[in-house]
Amino acid sequence: MFDVLVYVYEHYWRPDACPEAGLLARKLSAVGFEEEEIADALTWLDGLRSVSTAPMVAPADGSARVLASAERERFGPEALGFLHFLESAGVLTGAMRELVLDRAMAVPRAPLTLDDFKVLVLLAFWSRGEEPDSLVLDELFVDDADRVVH
């Protein structure tokens, strides 16, 4: 599923540029993705679209969020640490944090790896037509093994 989501992110720069589900499914199938992966990704994207456009009472920025046990189980330790890092760095507002948590809970398997969680964060920003600053993008895209130490 995450490979499909990355493909969508890389090929459709804005959510409104993304074709409707039937056409997108055909395109993804033609590229070589498996039917089950496509179905999972389209279901997840449909949920993202619904949550992104639904009116929500946004928590105050800087508010504390205690995760339910089911939410804690969904995250691997690295992904949970990265969530806390993004919050403490001020990258995730309260509303964006809730969007990311909602979409993390919609992933069909647990725990989330750090790489999978980073994809969810990217798509949360993408769904709102926002782009995090360049340092955060670097954290989301560049693998630690590929970093050059100065």
Side-chain angles (χ1 to χ4, degrees), residues 51-96:
V51 172
S52 294
T53 59
M56 151 171 51
V57 175
D61 291 341
S63 62
R65 172 67 151 78
V66 178
L67 298 178
S69 60
E71 291 172 324
R72 283 192 310 273
E73 290 171 8
R74 179 64 53 169
F75 291 90
E78 289 179 320
L80 188 58
F82 195 68
L83 172 67
H84 292 302
F85 162 72
L86 292 174
E87 284 186 276
S88 66
V91 174
L92 291 181
T93 63
M96 189 65 82

Side-chain angles (χ1 to χ4, degrees), residues 5 12 26 30 35-36 51 53-54 64 67-68 75 78 80 85 92 95 101 105-106 110 123-124 130 137-138 140 148:
L5 294 175
Y12 301 101
R26 288 190 296 279
E35 189 175 316
E36 185 177 339
V51 172
T53 59
L67 298 178
F75 291 90
E78 289 179 320
L80 188 58
F85 162 72
L92 291 181
L101 289 173
M105 294 305 291
L123 284 165
E130 299 175 17
L137 276 175
D138 185 52
L140 293 171
V148 177

